[in-house]
Amino acid sequence: MQDWMRHHAPRPLNDAVIHEQDLRGALGTPGAEDTPGLAALRATLTERFAGRLPEDASLGLHGEAWSWTTGPEPRTVVRAPGFEPARGLISRRSAARLTSWTERGDLAPYLDAFAVLGALPEHDLREWAGRVRTRPSWAAPAG
């Protein structure tokens, strides 16, 4: 059992972090956007993401509190608010949303790499989006 946990230790944490954010998004309840668990998940998925990129990749991902690049002066730069880059790395953002964050260059050659945990959604998820709350249609009106 200890060998299994040593090999799979991040997985239960990753699942908890990912699905907590899925639930928060569905309920329109922000939070837990800058936790050690999310940082660990982001590190794991960034490594997987990097392994899926073409050899000649020149890409930078930038959030408010985190950045990652393939090297100095990347040709393609993606900049997103809050913890959106992390949600992008866990296959929770559409190609259109990812592309909309492109500050410089062409993201198209890298889009498949973002599908680390499955296909990218065809449409943007209806959830807490950065700092702008979108209420589920079934939620009671605010106030």
Side-chain angles (χ1 to χ4, degrees):
M1 183 63 151
Q2 286 181 339
D3 288 335
W4 185 90
M5 285 299 290
R6 194 169 323 165
H7 184 264
H8 295 90
R11 181 150 187 179
L13 173 63
N14 292 350
D15 288 346
V17 170
I18 291 167
H19 297 303
E20 175 187 5
Q21 289 303 324
D22 291 344
L23 288 169
R24 286 178 172 281
L27 297 172
T29 306
E33 295 177 4
D34 189 20
T35 65
L38 183 63
L41 170 65
R42 191 175 51 224
T44 298
L45 293 181
T46 301
E47 186 176 313
R48 290 183 194 169
F49 173 75
R52 296 171 55 89
L53 291 171
E55 278 188 39
D56 63 343
S58 181
L59 177 65
L61 303 177
H62 303 280
E64 291 171 8
W66 169 82
S67 290
W68 174 88
T69 67
T70 57
E73 300 300 320
R75 289 185 305 273
T76 301
V77 173
V78 174
R79 189 172 309 279
F83 81 129
E84 289 295 311
R87 293 295 279 168
L89 287 172
I90 57 176
S91 306
R92 296 304 197 262
R93 296 295 177 254
S94 68
R97 172 79 60 93
L98 292 166
T99 301
S100 76
W101 297 330
T102 304
E103 188 174 90
R104 177 175 72 228
D106 180 13
L107 191 60
Y110 308 121
L111 285 172
D112 286 344
F114 281 94
V116 173
L117 296 179
L120 298 178
E122 289 185 31
H123 306 286
D124 290 328
L125 300 177
R126 185 177 173 95
E127 63 179 29
W128 182 269
R131 303 291 183 255
V132 179
R133 188 172 184 171
T134 54
R135 297 184 60 76
S137 60
W138 48 265

